[in-house]
Amino acid sequence: MTETSSRRIRVALLFGGRSGEHSISCLTAGSILEAIDRRRFEPVPVGITRDGRWTLAPDDPALLRLVDGRLPEVGGDGPEVLAPTRAGSSEWRLLSDSGTVASLGSIDVSFPLLHGPFGEDGTVQGLLELTDQRYVGAGVLASAVGMDKGYMKCVLEAHGLPVLPYVVVGADELAAEAAASVAAEDRLVAAGSRRALDWPVFVKPCRAGSSLGISKATRAAELADAIEFARRHDPRVLIEQASRGREIECAVLGSPSGRPPRASLPSEIVVQGGHEFYDFDAKYLDAAGADLLCPADLPAEATAQVQAMATQAYRAIGGEGLARVDFFYDPSAPEPLVVNEINTMPGFTPISQYPRMWLASGLSYSDLVGELIELALERPQGLR
Ligand SMILES: Nc1ncnc2c1ncn2[C@@H]1O[C@H](COP(=O)(O)OP(=O)(O)O)[C@@H](O)[C@H]1O
Ligand SMILES: [Mg+2]
């Protein structure tokens, strides 16, 4: 880093975005603005509006907090931000309302704090790859696979990682017909896992997050409505057998110089307050919606297995930088530990599981942010 050693490293924090998780991304950006080590890093907040305009946002964490149950939004009042359009250029620009273009200066690295489609799914990563911009976290393929629960399960299974039985309903299928064929078990030959689904099942948009569009169906008659509900977020839908297991999570962090990724101590989510599962309200709005136990109280062998499977899942999708791997743990089930999902840009406020697991493992929030940026600066660019 000789070029940047004499000045602070300029980090574009990309947040907000076009997905249903816009506001959650704003919360993350606020936390990072507050905690980032400003002796080493100069954050440049780039807020992406819900309709996809990149704008220079105020460097003010107070504007990006949950206030009286209201989630924050990107205001979009600042000048438009133009990422480089030429490979090798690190100069970002500003476009005013009147059409004047000014320089935003050189950006050393971007931190896509984006959750959901058009951000966590490889699209923004592809835009940055096209012009050799350095960025934190997973690349194009890992982001895309991690985003799509159908392909994710397929890749995890192919790497020998246990997942629950599931089927995918394609965008071209009518909900009622898909529901009937799943209920009649016609689908299982075509299904990823080729195993019968027992009731109840969870019905989820393939590409969403924060539990948006997820519902539980306890019998065949509820399935078509559940598919339609998921389709508010994504035409492709995953139907998956319900687990009675405990919800266990594990944080994975890349290591410098190609050394193996690290796994944190696992944590556990215990849903409270009458929520049927870990839904959007229990996650973000109801302070008593869940107990987050960190580290999780697990037998030593289960902890070791969670950690091993978390890094296997990270490698399976080709992860880089960070990921949170979520499990169901039910010692009475034939397969006690199954992977539920991998998130390549997990919730990242100081009270989110990912940073808390690292804190419990000895790494503070601001040191974690620093490590992620360092990893992005040292990794090779292009095909790697
Ligand atoms: N197969 C399942 N069995 C039991 N609970 C589930 C299942 N799938 C999802 N859930 C519940 O729904 C929540 C959200 O589902 P998840 O697959 O993690 O989607 P998201 O990407 O929105 O977090 C989980 O944390 C869990 O509480
Ligand atoms: Mg989840």
Side-chain angles (χ1 to χ4, degrees):
M1 290 308 108
T2 45
E3 188 218 337
T4 52
S5 57
S6 56
R7 63 172 177 83
R8 292 188 298 162
I9 295 165
R10 295 189 86 218
V11 186
L13 299 180
L14 310 180
F15 69 96
R18 297 171 62 192
S19 85
E21 294 178 275
H22 177 100
S23 293
I24 308 307
S25 164
C26 295
L27 292 176
T28 296
S31 308
I32 291 198
L33 279 179
E34 207 154 30
I36 195 167
D37 180 355
R38 288 177 185 258
R39 287 164 307 180
R40 292 169 65 203
F41 304 113
E42 179 192 343
V44 179
V46 178
I48 305 175
T49 59
R50 283 192 188 273
D51 57 4
R53 266 183 321 116
W54 293 36
T55 61
L56 191 63
D59 183 356
D60 183 358
L63 298 174
L64 297 168
R65 290 197 186 118
L66 178 70
V67 181
D68 300 331
R70 266 206 341 274
L71 288 163
E73 291 265 328
V74 169
D77 308 321
E80 253 178 55
V81 172
L82 306 174
T85 49
R86 189 158 37 89
S89 166
S90 61
E91 193 193 7
W92 291 43
R93 289 168 302 154
L94 291 172
L95 176 67
S96 72
D97 279 348
S98 59
T100 324
V101 176
S103 177
L104 178 57
S106 181
I107 296 288
D108 299 299
V109 57
S110 293
F111 199 152
L113 303 170
L114 299 157
H115 307 298
F118 310 113
E120 191 182 350
D121 61 351
T123 50
V124 165
Q125 291 73 15
L127 179 85
L128 297 169
E129 288 284 347
L130 276 175
T131 57
D132 297 338
Q133 305 304 305
R134 295 186 179 280
Y135 60 95
V136 173
V140 174
L141 180 81
S143 299
V145 171
M147 185 78 252
D148 188 307
K149 291 181 165 57
Y151 288 103
M152 173 209 300
K153 307 248 163 192
C154 195
V155 169
L156 293 176
E157 271 190 312
H159 283 80
L161 287 156
V163 299
L164 291 161
Y166 68 96
V167 294
V168 173
V169 178
D172 55 348
E173 296 183 71
L174 294 176
E177 283 174 17
S181 77
V182 170
E185 299 193 4
D186 294 349
R187 307 282 302 227
L188 299 171
V189 177
S193 54
R194 295 171 198 213
R195 286 174 287 163
L197 296 173
D198 289 333
W199 302 94
V201 295
F202 273 79
V203 182
K204 325 183 194 184
C206 278
R207 295 158 292 187
S210 293
S211 299
L212 295 168
I214 297 184
S215 65
K216 191 174 174 180
T218 50
R219 56 203 169 87
E222 295 170 359
L223 208 45
D225 283 351
I227 294 171
E228 294 293 9
F229 181 65
R231 281 197 168 150
R232 293 185 199 172
H233 298 271
D234 189 344
R236 274 165 43 76
V237 173
L238 180 90
I239 302 175
E240 179 183 81
Q241 185 170 309
S243 164
R244 281 191 302 271
R246 293 160 61 187
E247 290 196 55
I248 305 293
E249 308 194 331
C250 186
V252 181
L253 178 62
S255 297
S257 315
R259 289 202 304 276
R262 296 162 275 176
S264 72
L265 289 170
S267 65
E268 176 168 10
I269 291 157
V270 183
V271 178
Q272 304 285 8
H275 299 276
E276 195 183 12
F277 60 93
Y278 197 31
D279 60 15
F280 187 88
D281 286 8
K283 280 182 180 174
Y284 305 113
L285 301 178
D286 179 358
D291 288 338
L292 310 176
L293 312 177
C294 190
D297 184 12
L298 290 173
E301 330 66 270
T303 295
Q305 204 189 348
V306 164
Q307 291 174 319
M309 282 168 65
T311 51
Q312 282 162 22
Y314 176 90
R315 287 177 186 282
I317 68 159
E320 289 178 287
L322 75 166
R324 198 192 68 221
V325 184
D326 301 347
F327 299 85
F328 294 115
Y329 175 59
D330 177 1
S332 70
E335 194 74 75
L337 202 54
V338 294
V339 180
N340 174 36
E341 62 162 345
I342 180 163
N343 288 289
T344 54
M345 187 55 220
F348 208 98
T349 67
I351 57 162
S352 303
Q353 293 294 83
Y354 185 87
R356 283 188 47 184
M357 285 188 268
W358 282 117
L359 190 62
S361 312
L363 190 59
S364 76
Y365 185 77
S366 73
D367 286 347
L368 178 61
V369 170
E371 278 221 24
L372 286 167
I373 296 171
E374 293 291 351
L375 283 173
L377 288 169
E378 75 127 56
R379 83 178 176 199
Q381 289 179 286
L383 296 180
R384 51 187 180 265

